[in-house]
Amino acid sequence: MVWFDVLWVMPEDADCVDDSNVEHIAQHGLTMEDVEHAIENPLGDERSSPTSERKIQTGYACDGSLIDVVYEGIDDVTIYPVTAYRLEE
C-alpha cells in the first residue's frame, strides 16, 4: 500500500471551500474516500496526462469500480486531486 497526504483544498483557497475539488469529484459519483483508496492502492504505475503536466493513477474505488484519478504532485508525499472518474471495464 502506498501512502500519500491528500490535500482537498489548496491553502490559498482555504477561505472558499467551493474552490475544492470535492464537489467536482462528487459530480462523477465518487467520494474523497474513493479517490484516496485508489491512490493508496494503485493498479499499475502512474502516467502523465497527454493534455497537461498532471499525473494520472488508475485504481479501485471503495465499491470495486475502476477509476482514474488526475492529480498534481505538491511534493514527494502530498497530492492535490484535480478530478476522478469511473472507467469502463
Coordinates of all heavy atoms in Angstrom, one line a residue:
M1 N 0.8 -1.2 0.0 CA 0.0 0.0 0.0 C 0.9 1.2 0.0 O 1.8 1.3 0.8 CB -0.9 0.0 1.2 CG -1.8 1.2 1.3 SD -3.2 0.9 2.3 CE -3.0 2.0 3.6
V2 N 0.6 2.2 -0.8 CA 1.3 3.4 -0.9 C 0.6 4.5 0.0 O -0.6 4.4 0.1 CB 1.2 3.9 -2.4 CG1 2.0 5.3 -2.5 CG2 1.8 2.9 -3.3
W3 N 1.3 5.4 0.6 CA 0.7 6.4 1.4 C 1.0 7.8 0.8 O 2.1 8.1 0.4 CB 1.3 6.3 2.8 CG 0.7 7.3 3.7 CD1 -0.4 7.3 4.4 CD2 1.3 8.6 4.0 NE1 -0.6 8.4 5.1 CE2 0.4 9.3 4.9 CE3 2.4 9.3 3.6 CZ2 0.6 10.6 5.3 CZ3 2.7 10.6 4.1 CH2 1.8 11.2 4.9
F4 N 0.0 8.6 0.8 CA 0.1 10.0 0.4 C -0.7 10.9 1.3 O -1.7 10.4 1.9 CB -0.5 10.2 -1.1 CG 0.4 9.7 -2.1 CD1 0.2 8.5 -2.7 CD2 1.5 10.5 -2.6 CE1 1.0 8.0 -3.7 CE2 2.3 10.0 -3.6 CZ 2.1 8.8 -4.2
D5 N -0.3 12.1 1.4 CA -1.1 13.1 2.1 C -1.9 13.8 1.0 O -1.3 14.3 0.0 CB -0.2 14.1 2.8 CG -0.9 15.1 3.6 OD1 -2.1 14.9 4.0 OD2 -0.3 16.2 3.9
V6 N -3.2 13.7 1.1 CA -4.1 14.3 0.1 C -4.7 15.6 0.5 O -5.3 15.7 1.6 CB -5.2 13.3 -0.2 CG1 -6.1 13.9 -1.3 CG2 -4.7 11.9 -0.6
L7 N -4.4 16.7 -0.2 CA -5.0 18.0 0.0 C -6.3 18.1 -0.8 O -6.3 17.9 -2.0 CB -4.1 19.1 -0.5 CG -2.8 19.4 0.3 CD1 -2.1 20.5 -0.4 CD2 -3.1 19.8 1.7
W8 N -7.4 18.4 -0.1 CA -8.6 18.6 -0.8 C -8.9 20.1 -1.1 O -9.8 20.4 -1.9 CB -9.8 17.9 0.0 CG -9.6 16.5 -0.1 CD1 -9.1 15.6 0.8 CD2 -10.0 15.7 -1.2 NE1 -9.1 14.3 0.3 CE2 -9.6 14.3 -0.9 CE3 -10.5 15.9 -2.5 CZ2 -9.8 13.3 -1.8 CZ3 -10.7 14.9 -3.4 CH2 -10.4 13.6 -3.0
V9 N -8.3 20.9 -0.3 CA -8.4 22.4 -0.5 C -7.0 22.9 -0.5 O -6.3 22.7 0.5 CB -9.3 23.1 0.5 CG1 -9.4 24.6 0.3 CG2 -10.7 22.5 0.6
M10 N -6.6 23.6 -1.5 CA -5.3 24.3 -1.6 C -5.3 25.3 -0.5 O -6.3 26.0 -0.2 CB -5.0 24.8 -2.9 CG -4.9 23.8 -4.0 SD -3.5 22.7 -3.8 CE -2.2 23.7 -4.4
P11 N -4.1 25.5 0.2 CA -4.0 26.5 1.3 C -4.5 27.9 0.8 O -5.2 28.6 1.6 CB -2.6 26.5 1.6 CG -2.1 25.2 1.2 CD -2.9 24.8 0.0
E12 N -4.2 28.3 -0.4 CA -4.6 29.7 -0.8 C -6.1 29.8 -1.0 O -6.7 30.9 -1.1 CB -3.9 30.1 -2.1 CG -4.1 29.2 -3.3 CD -3.1 28.1 -3.4 OE1 -2.4 27.7 -2.4 OE2 -3.0 27.5 -4.5
D13 N -6.8 28.6 -1.1 CA -8.3 28.6 -1.3 C -9.0 28.2 0.0 O -10.2 28.0 0.0 CB -8.7 27.6 -2.4 CG -8.1 28.0 -3.7 OD1 -7.9 29.2 -4.0 OD2 -7.8 27.1 -4.5
A14 N -8.3 28.2 1.1 CA -8.9 27.7 2.4 C -10.2 28.5 2.8 O -11.0 28.0 3.5 CB -7.9 27.7 3.5
D15 N -10.2 29.8 2.4 CA -11.4 30.6 2.8 C -12.6 30.3 1.9 O -13.7 30.7 2.3 CB -11.1 32.1 2.6 CG -10.0 32.6 3.5 OD1 -9.8 31.9 4.6 OD2 -9.4 33.6 3.2
C16 N -12.5 29.6 0.9 CA -13.6 29.3 0.0 C -13.6 27.8 -0.3 O -13.0 27.3 -1.3 CB -13.5 30.1 -1.3 SG -14.9 29.9 -2.4
V17 N -14.4 27.0 0.4 CA -14.5 25.6 0.2 C -15.0 25.2 -1.2 O -14.7 24.2 -1.7 CB -15.3 24.9 1.3 CG1 -15.5 23.4 1.1 CG2 -14.7 25.1 2.7
D18 N -15.7 26.2 -1.8 CA -16.3 25.9 -3.1 C -15.1 25.8 -4.1 O -15.4 25.3 -5.2 CB -17.2 27.1 -3.6 CG -18.5 27.1 -2.8 OD1 -18.8 26.1 -2.2 OD2 -19.1 28.2 -2.7
D19 N -13.9 26.2 -3.8 CA -12.8 26.1 -4.7 C -12.1 24.7 -4.6 O -11.2 24.4 -5.3 CB -11.8 27.2 -4.5 CG -12.3 28.5 -4.9 OD1 -13.1 28.5 -5.8 OD2 -11.8 29.5 -4.4
S20 N -12.7 23.8 -3.7 CA -12.1 22.5 -3.6 C -12.6 21.6 -4.7 O -13.5 22.0 -5.4 CB -12.5 21.9 -2.2 OG -13.8 21.4 -2.2
N21 N -12.0 20.5 -4.9 CA -12.4 19.6 -5.9 C -13.4 18.5 -5.4 O -13.7 17.6 -6.2 CB -11.2 19.0 -6.6 CG -10.5 20.0 -7.4 OD1 -11.1 20.9 -8.0 ND2 -9.2 20.0 -7.5
V22 N -13.8 18.5 -4.2 CA -14.7 17.5 -3.6 C -16.0 17.5 -4.4 O -16.5 16.5 -4.8 CB -14.9 17.8 -2.1 CG1 -15.9 16.8 -1.6 CG2 -13.6 17.7 -1.4
E23 N -16.6 18.7 -4.7 CA -17.8 18.8 -5.4 C -17.6 18.3 -6.9 O -18.5 17.6 -7.4 CB -18.4 20.2 -5.4 CG -19.0 20.6 -4.1 CD -20.2 19.7 -3.7 OE1 -21.0 19.4 -4.6 OE2 -20.3 19.4 -2.5
H24 N -16.5 18.6 -7.5 CA -16.3 18.2 -8.9 C -16.2 16.7 -8.9 O -16.7 16.0 -9.8 CB -15.0 18.8 -9.4 CG -14.7 18.5 -10.8 ND1 -15.4 18.9 -11.9 CD2 -13.7 17.6 -11.3 CE1 -14.9 18.4 -13.0 NE2 -13.9 17.6 -12.6
I25 N -15.5 16.1 -8.0 CA -15.4 14.6 -7.9 C -16.7 14.0 -7.7 O -17.1 12.9 -8.3 CB -14.3 14.2 -6.9 CG1 -12.9 14.6 -7.5 CG2 -14.3 12.7 -6.6 CD1 -11.8 14.6 -6.5
A26 N -17.5 14.6 -6.8 CA -18.8 14.1 -6.5 C -19.7 14.1 -7.7 O -20.6 13.2 -7.8 CB -19.5 14.9 -5.4
Q27 N -19.5 15.0 -8.6 CA -20.3 15.0 -9.9 C -20.1 13.8 -10.7 O -20.9 13.5 -11.6 CB -20.0 16.3 -10.7 CG -20.5 17.6 -10.0 CD -20.0 18.8 -10.8 OE1 -19.3 18.8 -11.7 NE2 -20.5 20.0 -10.2
H28 N -19.0 13.1 -10.5 CA -18.7 11.9 -11.2 C -19.1 10.7 -10.4 O -18.7 9.5 -10.7 CB -17.2 11.8 -11.5 CG -16.7 12.9 -12.5 ND1 -16.9 12.7 -13.8 CD2 -16.2 14.1 -12.3 CE1 -16.4 13.8 -14.4 NE2 -16.0 14.7 -13.5
G29 N -19.8 10.9 -9.3 CA -20.3 9.8 -8.5 C -19.3 9.2 -7.5 O -19.4 8.1 -7.1
L30 N -18.2 10.0 -7.2 CA -17.2 9.5 -6.4 C -17.0 10.3 -5.1 O -17.5 11.4 -5.1 CB -15.8 9.5 -7.2 CG -15.8 8.6 -8.4 CD1 -14.6 8.8 -9.2 CD2 -15.9 7.1 -8.0
T31 N -16.4 9.7 -4.1 CA -16.2 10.4 -2.8 C -14.7 10.6 -2.6 O -13.9 10.0 -3.3 CB -16.7 9.5 -1.7 OG1 -16.0 8.3 -1.6 CG2 -18.2 9.2 -1.9
M32 N -14.4 11.4 -1.6 CA -13.0 11.5 -1.2 C -12.4 10.2 -0.8 O -11.2 9.9 -1.2 CB -12.9 12.5 0.0 CG -13.3 13.9 -0.3 SD -13.3 15.1 1.0 CE -13.1 14.3 2.5
E33 N -13.1 9.3 -0.2 CA -12.7 8.0 0.2 C -12.3 7.2 -1.0 O -11.3 6.4 -1.0 CB -13.7 7.3 1.1 CG -13.8 7.9 2.5 CD -14.7 9.2 2.5 OE1 -15.5 9.4 1.5 OE2 -14.7 9.9 3.5
D34 N -13.2 7.2 -2.0 CA -12.9 6.5 -3.3 C -11.6 6.9 -3.9 O -10.8 6.1 -4.3 CB -14.0 6.8 -4.3 CG -15.3 6.1 -4.0 OD1 -15.3 5.0 -3.4 OD2 -16.4 6.7 -4.3
V35 N -11.3 8.2 -4.0 CA -10.1 8.8 -4.6 C -8.9 8.3 -3.7 O -7.9 7.8 -4.3 CB -10.2 10.3 -4.7 CG1 -8.8 10.9 -5.1 CG2 -11.3 10.7 -5.7
E36 N -9.0 8.5 -2.4 CA -7.9 8.1 -1.6 C -7.6 6.6 -1.6 O -6.4 6.2 -1.7 CB -8.1 8.6 -0.1 CG -8.1 10.1 0.0 CD -8.4 10.6 1.4 OE1 -8.5 9.8 2.3 OE2 -8.5 11.8 1.5
H37 N -8.6 5.8 -1.7 CA -8.5 4.4 -1.8 C -7.7 4.0 -3.1 O -6.8 3.2 -3.1 CB -9.8 3.7 -1.7 CG -9.7 2.2 -1.6 ND1 -9.7 1.4 -2.7 CD2 -9.6 1.4 -0.6 CE1 -9.6 0.1 -2.3 NE2 -9.6 0.1 -1.0
A38 N -8.1 4.6 -4.2 CA -7.5 4.3 -5.5 C -6.0 4.8 -5.5 O -5.2 4.1 -6.0 CB -8.2 5.0 -6.6
I39 N -5.7 5.9 -4.9 CA -4.3 6.4 -4.9 C -3.5 5.5 -4.0 O -2.3 5.2 -4.3 CB -4.3 7.9 -4.4 CG1 -4.9 8.8 -5.4 CG2 -2.9 8.3 -4.0 CD1 -4.1 8.9 -6.7
E40 N -4.0 5.1 -2.8 CA -3.2 4.3 -1.9 C -3.1 2.8 -2.3 O -2.3 2.1 -1.8 CB -3.9 4.3 -0.5 CG -3.8 5.7 0.1 CD -4.6 5.9 1.4 OE1 -5.3 5.0 1.8 OE2 -4.4 7.0 2.0
N41 N -4.0 2.4 -3.3 CA -3.9 1.0 -3.8 C -3.9 1.1 -5.3 O -4.9 0.7 -6.0 CB -5.2 0.3 -3.3 CG -5.2 0.2 -1.8 OD1 -4.6 -0.6 -1.2 ND2 -6.0 1.1 -1.2
P42 N -2.8 1.5 -5.9 CA -2.7 1.7 -7.3 C -2.8 0.4 -8.1 O -2.3 -0.6 -7.6 CB -1.4 2.5 -7.5 CG -0.6 2.0 -6.4 CD -1.5 1.8 -5.2
L43 N -3.3 0.5 -9.3 CA -3.3 -0.6 -10.2 C -2.3 -0.2 -11.3 O -2.6 0.5 -12.3 CB -4.7 -0.8 -10.8 CG -4.9 -1.9 -11.7 CD1 -4.6 -3.3 -11.0 CD2 -6.3 -1.9 -12.3
G44 N -1.0 -0.5 -11.2 CA 0.0 -0.2 -12.2 C 0.6 1.1 -11.8 O 0.4 1.7 -10.8
D45 N 1.5 1.6 -12.7 CA 2.3 2.8 -12.5 C 1.5 4.0 -12.9 O 0.6 4.0 -13.7 CB 3.6 2.8 -13.3 CG 4.5 1.7 -12.9 OD1 4.5 1.4 -11.7 OD2 5.2 1.2 -13.7
E46 N 1.8 5.2 -12.2 CA 1.2 6.4 -12.6 C 1.7 6.8 -14.0 O 2.7 6.3 -14.5 CB 1.5 7.6 -11.6 CG 3.0 8.0 -11.7 CD 3.3 9.1 -10.7 OE1 2.5 9.4 -9.8 OE2 4.4 9.6 -10.9
R47 N 0.9 7.6 -14.7 CA 1.3 8.1 -16.0 C 1.0 9.6 -16.1 O 0.3 10.1 -15.3 CB 0.6 7.3 -17.1 CG -0.9 7.3 -17.0 CD -1.5 6.2 -17.8 NE -3.0 6.3 -17.9 CZ -3.8 6.0 -16.9 NH1 -3.4 5.6 -15.8 NH2 -5.1 6.2 -17.1
S48 N 1.6 10.2 -17.2 CA 1.3 11.6 -17.4 C 0.1 11.8 -18.3 O -0.1 11.1 -19.2 CB 2.6 12.3 -18.0 OG 3.7 12.2 -17.1
S49 N -0.6 12.9 -18.0 CA -1.7 13.2 -18.8 C -1.2 13.7 -20.2 O -0.3 14.4 -20.2 CB -2.5 14.3 -18.1 OG -3.5 14.9 -19.0
P50 N -1.9 13.3 -21.2 CA -1.5 13.7 -22.6 C -1.8 15.2 -22.8 O -1.2 15.8 -23.7 CB -2.2 12.8 -23.5 CG -3.4 12.4 -22.7 CD -3.0 12.3 -21.3
T51 N -2.6 15.8 -22.0 CA -3.1 17.2 -22.2 C -2.6 18.2 -21.2 O -2.8 19.4 -21.3 CB -4.6 17.3 -22.3 OG1 -5.1 16.8 -21.1 CG2 -5.1 16.5 -23.5
S52 N -1.9 17.7 -20.1 CA -1.4 18.6 -19.1 C -0.2 18.0 -18.4 O 0.3 16.9 -18.8 CB -2.5 18.8 -18.0 OG -2.7 17.7 -17.3
E53 N 0.4 18.7 -17.5 CA 1.5 18.2 -16.7 C 1.1 17.3 -15.6 O 1.9 16.9 -14.8 CB 2.3 19.4 -16.2 CG 2.8 20.4 -17.2 CD 4.1 19.8 -17.9 OE1 4.9 19.1 -17.3 OE2 4.2 20.0 -19.1
R54 N -0.2 17.1 -15.4 CA -0.7 16.3 -14.3 C -0.4 14.8 -14.4 O -0.2 14.3 -15.5 CB -2.2 16.6 -14.1 CG -2.4 18.1 -13.8 CD -3.9 18.4 -13.6 NE -4.0 19.7 -13.2 CZ -4.9 20.6 -13.7 NH1 -5.8 20.2 -14.6 NH2 -5.0 21.8 -13.2
K55 N -0.5 14.2 -13.3 CA -0.3 12.7 -13.2 C -1.7 12.1 -13.2 O -2.7 12.6 -12.7 CB 0.5 12.3 -12.0 CG 1.9 12.9 -12.0 CD 2.7 12.3 -13.0 CE 4.1 12.8 -12.9 NZ 5.0 12.4 -14.0
I56 N -1.8 10.8 -13.7 CA -3.0 10.0 -13.6 C -2.6 8.7 -13.0 O -1.6 8.1 -13.3 CB -3.6 9.8 -15.0 CG1 -3.8 11.1 -15.7 CG2 -4.8 8.9 -14.9 CD1 -4.2 10.9 -17.2
Q57 N -3.5 8.3 -12.0 CA -3.3 7.0 -11.4 C -4.6 6.2 -11.5 O -5.7 6.7 -11.2 CB -2.9 7.1 -9.9 CG -2.7 5.8 -9.2 CD -1.6 5.0 -9.8 OE1 -0.4 5.5 -9.8 NE2 -1.8 3.9 -10.3
T58 N -4.5 5.0 -11.9 CA -5.7 4.1 -12.0 C -5.7 3.3 -10.7 O -4.7 2.8 -10.3 CB -5.6 3.2 -13.2 OG1 -5.5 4.0 -14.4 CG2 -6.8 2.3 -13.3
G59 N -6.9 3.1 -10.2 CA -7.1 2.2 -9.0 C -8.5 1.9 -8.8 O -9.4 2.3 -9.7
Y60 N -8.8 1.2 -7.7 CA -10.2 0.8 -7.5 C -10.8 1.7 -6.4 O -10.2 2.0 -5.4 CB -10.2 -0.6 -7.0 CG -9.9 -1.6 -8.1 CD1 -8.7 -2.2 -8.2 CD2 -10.9 -1.9 -9.0 CE1 -8.4 -3.1 -9.2 CE2 -10.6 -2.8 -10.0 CZ -9.4 -3.4 -10.1 OH -9.1 -4.3 -11.1
A61 N -12.0 2.2 -6.7 CA -12.8 2.9 -5.7 C -13.2 1.9 -4.6 O -13.1 0.7 -4.7 CB -14.0 3.5 -6.3
C62 N -13.8 2.4 -3.5 CA -14.2 1.6 -2.4 C -15.2 0.5 -2.8 O -15.2 -0.6 -2.2 CB -14.8 2.4 -1.3 SG -13.6 3.6 -0.6
D63 N -16.0 0.8 -3.8 CA -17.0 -0.2 -4.3 C -16.5 -1.2 -5.3 O -17.2 -2.1 -5.8 CB -18.3 0.5 -4.8 CG -18.0 1.2 -6.1 OD1 -16.8 1.2 -6.6 OD2 -18.9 1.8 -6.6
G64 N -15.2 -1.1 -5.6 CA -14.5 -2.1 -6.5 C -14.5 -1.6 -8.0 O -14.0 -2.3 -8.8
S65 N -15.2 -0.5 -8.3 CA -15.1 0.0 -9.6 C -13.8 0.6 -9.9 O -13.1 1.2 -9.1 CB -16.3 1.1 -9.9 OG -16.1 2.2 -9.0
L66 N -13.4 0.5 -11.2 CA -12.1 1.0 -11.6 C -12.2 2.5 -11.9 O -13.1 3.0 -12.6 CB -11.7 0.3 -12.9 CG -10.2 0.3 -13.3 CD1 -9.3 -0.2 -12.2 CD2 -10.0 -0.5 -14.6
I67 N -11.3 3.3 -11.4 CA -11.3 4.8 -11.6 C -9.9 5.3 -12.0 O -8.9 4.7 -11.7 CB -11.9 5.6 -10.4 CG1 -10.9 5.5 -9.2 CG2 -13.3 5.1 -10.0 CD1 -11.3 6.4 -8.0
D68 N -9.9 6.4 -12.6 CA -8.7 7.2 -12.9 C -8.8 8.4 -12.0 O -9.8 9.1 -11.9 CB -8.6 7.7 -14.3 CG -7.7 6.7 -15.2 OD1 -7.1 5.8 -14.6 OD2 -7.7 6.9 -16.4
V69 N -7.6 8.8 -11.3 CA -7.5 10.0 -10.5 C -6.5 10.8 -11.2 O -5.4 10.4 -11.4 CB -7.1 9.6 -9.1 CG1 -7.0 10.9 -8.3 CG2 -8.1 8.7 -8.4
V70 N -6.9 12.1 -11.5 CA -5.9 13.0 -12.1 C -5.5 14.0 -11.0 O -6.4 14.5 -10.2 CB -6.6 13.8 -13.2 CG1 -5.6 14.9 -13.8 CG2 -7.1 12.9 -14.3
Y71 N -4.2 14.2 -10.8 CA -3.8 14.9 -9.6 C -2.5 15.7 -9.9 O -1.8 15.4 -10.9 CB -3.6 14.1 -8.4 CG -2.5 13.0 -8.6 CD1 -1.2 13.3 -8.2 CD2 -2.8 11.8 -9.1 CE1 -0.2 12.3 -8.3 CE2 -1.8 10.8 -9.3 CZ -0.5 11.1 -8.9 OH 0.5 10.2 -9.0
E72 N -2.2 16.7 -9.1 CA -1.0 17.4 -9.1 C -0.1 17.0 -8.0 O -0.6 16.9 -6.8 CB -1.3 18.9 -9.0 CG -2.0 19.5 -10.2 CD -2.3 21.0 -10.1 OE1 -1.7 21.7 -9.2 OE2 -3.1 21.5 -10.9
G73 N 1.1 16.8 -8.2 CA 2.0 16.5 -7.1 C 2.5 17.8 -6.5 O 3.0 18.7 -7.1
I74 N 2.3 17.9 -5.2 CA 2.7 19.1 -4.4 C 4.2 18.9 -4.0 O 5.0 19.8 -4.1 CB 1.8 19.4 -3.2 CG1 0.3 19.5 -3.7 CG2 2.2 20.6 -2.5 CD1 0.0 20.5 -4.7
D75 N 4.5 17.8 -3.4 CA 5.8 17.4 -3.1 C 5.9 15.9 -3.1 O 5.0 15.2 -3.7 CB 6.2 18.0 -1.7 CG 5.3 17.5 -0.6 OD1 4.8 16.4 -0.6 OD2 5.1 18.3 0.4
D76 N 6.9 15.3 -2.5 CA 7.1 13.8 -2.7 C 6.0 13.0 -2.1 O 5.8 11.8 -2.4 CB 8.4 13.4 -2.0 CG 9.6 13.9 -2.8 OD1 9.5 14.2 -4.0 OD2 10.7 13.9 -2.3
V77 N 5.3 13.5 -1.1 CA 4.2 12.7 -0.4 C 2.9 13.4 -0.4 O 1.9 12.9 0.1 CB 4.6 12.4 1.0 CG1 5.8 11.5 1.1 CG2 4.8 13.6 1.9
T78 N 2.7 14.6 -1.0 CA 1.5 15.3 -1.0 C 0.9 15.5 -2.4 O 1.6 15.9 -3.3 CB 1.6 16.7 -0.4 OG1 2.3 16.6 0.9 CG2 0.3 17.4 -0.2
I79 N -0.4 15.2 -2.6 CA -1.0 15.3 -3.9 C -2.3 16.2 -3.7 O -2.9 16.2 -2.6 CB -1.3 14.0 -4.5 CG1 -2.4 13.2 -3.7 CG2 -0.1 13.2 -4.8 CD1 -3.0 12.1 -4.5
Y80 N -2.7 16.8 -4.8 CA -4.0 17.5 -4.9 C -4.8 16.9 -6.0 O -4.5 17.1 -7.2 CB -3.7 19.0 -5.1 CG -4.9 19.8 -5.3 CD1 -5.8 20.0 -4.2 CD2 -5.2 20.4 -6.5 CE1 -6.9 20.8 -4.3 CE2 -6.3 21.2 -6.6 CZ -7.2 21.4 -5.6 OH -8.3 22.2 -5.7
P81 N -5.8 16.1 -5.7 CA -6.7 15.5 -6.7 C -7.4 16.6 -7.5 O -8.0 17.5 -6.9 CB -7.7 14.7 -6.0 CG -7.1 14.5 -4.6 CD -6.3 15.7 -4.3
V82 N -7.3 16.6 -8.8 CA -8.0 17.6 -9.6 C -9.4 17.0 -10.1 O -10.3 17.7 -10.0 CB -7.1 17.9 -10.9 CG1 -7.8 18.8 -11.8 CG2 -5.8 18.5 -10.4
T83 N -9.4 15.8 -10.5 CA -10.6 15.1 -10.8 C -10.5 13.6 -10.7 O -9.4 13.1 -10.6 CB -11.1 15.5 -12.2 OG1 -12.5 15.1 -12.4 CG2 -10.2 15.0 -13.3
A84 N -11.6 12.9 -10.8 CA -11.5 11.5 -10.8 C -12.8 11.0 -11.5 O -13.8 11.7 -11.5 CB -11.5 10.9 -9.4
Y85 N -12.7 9.9 -12.2 CA -13.9 9.4 -13.0 C -13.8 7.9 -13.1 O -12.7 7.3 -13.1 CB -13.9 10.1 -14.3 CG -12.6 10.1 -15.1 CD1 -12.3 9.0 -15.9 CD2 -11.8 11.2 -15.0 CE1 -11.1 9.0 -16.6 CE2 -10.6 11.2 -15.6 CZ -10.2 10.1 -16.4 OH -9.0 10.1 -17.1
R86 N -14.9 7.3 -13.3 CA -15.0 5.8 -13.5 C -14.6 5.5 -14.9 O -14.8 6.2 -15.8 CB -16.4 5.3 -13.2 CG -16.9 5.5 -11.8 CD -18.3 4.9 -11.5 NE -18.8 5.4 -10.3 CZ -18.5 4.9 -9.1 NH1 -17.6 3.9 -9.0 NH2 -19.0 5.4 -8.0
L87 N -14.0 4.3 -15.0 CA -13.6 3.7 -16.3 C -14.5 2.6 -16.7 O -15.0 1.9 -15.8 CB -12.1 3.2 -16.2 CG -11.1 4.2 -15.9 CD1 -9.7 3.5 -15.7 CD2 -11.0 5.3 -16.9
E88 N -14.7 2.4 -17.9 CA -15.5 1.3 -18.5 C -14.6 0.1 -18.3 O -13.4 0.1 -18.7 CB -15.9 1.5 -19.9 CG -16.7 2.8 -20.1 CD -18.1 2.6 -19.5 OE1 -18.6 1.5 -19.5 OE2 -18.6 3.7 -19.0
E89 N -15.2 -1.0 -17.8 CA -14.4 -2.2 -17.6 C -14.7 -3.2 -18.7 O -15.7 -3.1 -19.3 CB -14.7 -2.9 -16.3 CG -14.1 -2.0 -15.1 CD -14.2 -2.7 -13.8 OE1 -13.6 -3.8 -13.7 OE2 -14.9 -2.2 -12.9

